[in-house]
């Protein structure tokens, strides 16, 4: 009986014999935990960036404009103009219509995720207003 069992196992590949419960479990990469699926980086991602690059990133400013300090106004304003005030914007949605990481970064800064160029320009205009408000507070 053992001889016949050997014959049948030799004719089939190991892949076809393998049971479903024996499948290798896919591990999530460490980089996946560093990116927030809603946009931006997680605390672990900022820590990993600091370890690799030596610079210390701060989370985005999500406060309302009336609650911001002048320093926060400057940070959020410069971010908005830098990301969404460019002449040629990177894609905001992919082929399936889902927002790209560039568009999702707006969520990390407390802004609505732009799906059109016009929506991105509105965020840039808000950034300009914040920078102007910051300049007025410095005088």
């Amino acid at each position: 009986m053992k001889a016949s069992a050997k014959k049948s196992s030799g004719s089939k590949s190991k892949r076809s014999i393998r049971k479903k419960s024996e499948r290798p479990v896919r591990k999530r990469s460490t980089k996946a935990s560093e990116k927030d699926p809603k946009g931006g980086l997680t605390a672990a991602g900022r820590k990993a960036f600091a370890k690799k690059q030596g610079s210390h990133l701060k989370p985005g400013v999500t406060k309302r404009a009336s609650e911001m300090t002048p320093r926060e106004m400057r940070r959020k304003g410069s971010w908005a103009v830098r990301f969404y005030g460019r002449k040629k914007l990177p894609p905001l949605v992919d082929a399936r219509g889902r927002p790209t990481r560039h568009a999702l970064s707006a969520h990390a800064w407390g802004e609505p995720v732009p799906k059109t160029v016009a929506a991105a320009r509105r965020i840039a205009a808000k950034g300009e207003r914040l920078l102007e408000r910051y300049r007025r507070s410095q005088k």
Side-chain angles (χ1 to χ4, degrees):
M1 195 129 187
K2 284 185 178 180
S4 62
K6 277 188 176 180
K7 266 188 176 180
S8 63
S9 66
S11 62
K12 291 186 177 181
S13 68
K14 287 188 176 192
R15 188 172 275 197
S16 63
I17 300 172
R18 186 184 289 176
K19 294 178 184 175
K20 286 187 177 183
S21 62
E22 294 177 1
R23 282 190 201 161
V25 177
R26 284 188 181 178
K27 291 183 181 179
R28 282 183 76 182
S29 69
T30 54
K31 290 192 177 205
S33 64
E34 294 172 2
K35 292 181 179 178
D36 188 348
K38 294 179 182 175
L41 294 175
T42 61
R46 290 189 296 274
K47 186 176 179 181
F49 190 86
K51 188 175 180 182
K52 289 177 199 168
Q53 303 292 327
S55 55
H56 300 282
L57 299 176
K58 296 178 186 178
V61 178
T62 57
K63 293 179 182 179
R64 299 175 72 179
S66 60
E67 300 167 352
M68 285 186 208
T69 65
R71 180 174 283 177
E72 290 168 337
M73 282 182 227
R74 188 184 69 198
R75 279 190 66 225
K76 187 166 183 169
S78 64
W79 164 82
V81 171
R82 187 172 63 247
F83 265 58
Y84 299 116
R86 304 176 188 178
K87 285 182 182 177
K88 184 165 172 33
L89 287 173
L92 298 171
V93 290
D94 64 6
R96 291 183 175 177
R98 296 176 301 190
T100 60
R101 294 294 300 176
H102 183 80
L104 286 173
S105 65
H107 183 268
W109 286 81
E111 296 295 325
V113 177
K115 293 185 179 177
T116 63
V117 174
R121 299 294 183 218
R122 282 193 292 276
I123 295 172
K126 182 177 181 180
E128 290 285 354
R129 289 191 301 272
L130 284 170
L131 288 172
E132 185 56 39
R133 196 166 157 201
Y134 163 75
R135 289 183 202 109
R136 278 196 310 264
S137 71
Q138 296 303 303
K139 289 183 181 178

